[in-house]
Amino acid sequence: MTVHPSGRLDLSHRRPTSLSTFLFGATYYPEHWDARTRREDAARMQAARLNVVRMAEFAWDIMEPQEGEYDFSLFDDVIDDLGSHGVRTILCTPTAAPPRWLTDRYPETLRVDEDGRTMQHGSRQHCCYASESFRQFSWKITKAMGDYFALNPNVLGWQTDNEFHCHFAECHCSSCQTGFRDYLKETYGTIEALNDAWGTAFWALTFRSFDEIITPRNQKPALQNPAMRLDYVRYLSWAVTH
């Protein structure tokens, strides 16, 4: 450990931590296992000196098997059992993997790729962050989890969603068309300012209003305007955080 002449500690990977407890754990998916295996897992974690797990990020279908019907019993039991073995829990909102009933009943939530193909159920991150329907269902399941587990002493923290845009980021659905225009209006204020920033005099790309703007797609028919592309990528980040 190195001490700066001013008396402060220099930043270093060797500096001591100020944490009263060092968290040591792993991701855990209790929904994959039977009750006996879960009990054995808790004992194994205790023997390995683990003191925390992160779980539930892909278990929306377990916690809300039907729209509006919540069942937290599996995680309630697992959290308590782990807690009795000295292992606390970081709970994750399950919004990275919406359940099949949501996909089937609300197709407007699905992402659309740059070739116009609508995503389908069967993996994860198939829903668009800009979809108002998806936002509402995400809010409901998150609130239900928060209300249920808020006072559980074995829940020490929360993770929101999981790995934003880790498989692919683009979406060209109707919600993103509206969202992209809203983002640009907030960013530039006037269409004239946008045209100036994007250099749209090139190739007759000038826009007469924000309503004419659609999300950029490469090689359709040629190269994208690079400034427009940059703002589209910024919009995708903005859609997650707003």
Side-chain angles (χ1 to χ4, degrees):
M1 181 174 60
T2 304
V3 179
H4 190 270
S6 65
R8 66 172 173 80
L9 297 179
D10 279 344
L11 292 178
S12 166
H13 65 287
R14 295 177 294 174
R15 71 187 187 279
T17 176
S18 60
L19 297 173
S20 59
T21 301
F22 187 84
L23 299 179
F24 173 62
T27 302
Y28 185 48
Y29 300 100
E31 65 272 23
H32 292 193
W33 316 112
D34 58 31
R36 177 180 177 179
T37 302
R38 291 194 292 268
R39 288 192 298 270
E40 293 173 349
D41 286 342
R44 291 190 186 102
M45 290 180 196
Q46 184 178 35
R49 305 290 182 90
L50 271 66
N51 59 11
V52 67
V53 295
R54 175 178 67 89
M55 60 185 176
E57 69 267 35
F58 302 132
W60 192 340
D61 61 334
I62 303 296
M63 295 184 287
E64 190 178 6
Q66 300 294 332
E67 181 178 345
E69 298 178 8
Y70 301 107
D71 182 0
F72 300 115
S73 58
L74 185 149
F75 289 93
D76 208 17
D77 292 344
V78 171
I79 289 170
D80 286 348
D81 190 28
L82 289 171
S84 70
H85 287 78
V87 182
R88 300 176 73 191
T89 295
I90 296 173
L91 271 179
C92 309
T93 64
T95 45
R100 192 176 296 276
W101 61 258
L102 193 156
T103 302
D104 292 343
R105 197 172 301 167
Y106 302 95
E108 72 275 12
T109 64
L110 295 172
R111 295 187 193 230
V112 176
D113 72 9
E114 67 173 0
D115 293 320
R117 297 174 298 186
T118 301
M119 301 296 100
Q120 63 184 30
H121 201 93
S123 182
R124 61 169 170 152
Q125 296 195 346
H126 46 278
C127 285
C128 176
Y129 292 116
S131 165
E132 188 59 35
S133 294
F134 176 62
R135 286 171 176 255
Q136 286 297 316
F137 283 113
S138 297
W139 181 85
K140 289 177 182 177
I141 184 64
T142 300
K143 183 178 186 302
M145 289 180 69
D147 289 344
Y148 189 86
F149 291 106
L151 301 180
N152 191 313
N154 290 312
V155 175
L156 62 81
W158 293 82
Q159 172 184 292
T160 303
D161 201 86
N162 187 76
E163 300 173 335
F164 300 109
H165 295 315
C166 72
H167 296 298
F168 56 91
E170 292 195 23
C171 182
H172 302 272
C173 71
S174 59
S175 295
C176 278
Q177 304 307 328
T178 301
F180 187 40
R181 295 179 193 122
D182 289 343
Y183 169 76
L184 295 174
K185 289 175 185 176
E186 182 176 310
T187 301
Y188 291 102
T190 67
I191 197 64
E192 290 78 15
L194 179 145
N195 280 318
D196 182 61
W198 285 6
T200 55
F202 185 72
W203 281 355
L205 297 176
T206 305
F207 294 99
R208 295 167 297 177
S209 73
F210 287 101
D211 292 337
E212 293 183 338
I213 299 173
I214 60 174
T215 53
R217 307 182 190 199
N218 198 35
Q219 299 299 332
K220 293 178 174 48
L223 299 175
Q224 299 174 24
N225 178 320
M228 183 181 190
R229 175 68 190 181
L230 177 59
D231 271 333
Y232 173 60
V233 173
R234 287 169 171 163
Y235 156 72
L236 294 172
S237 178
W238 179 85
V240 171
T241 58
H242 286 72

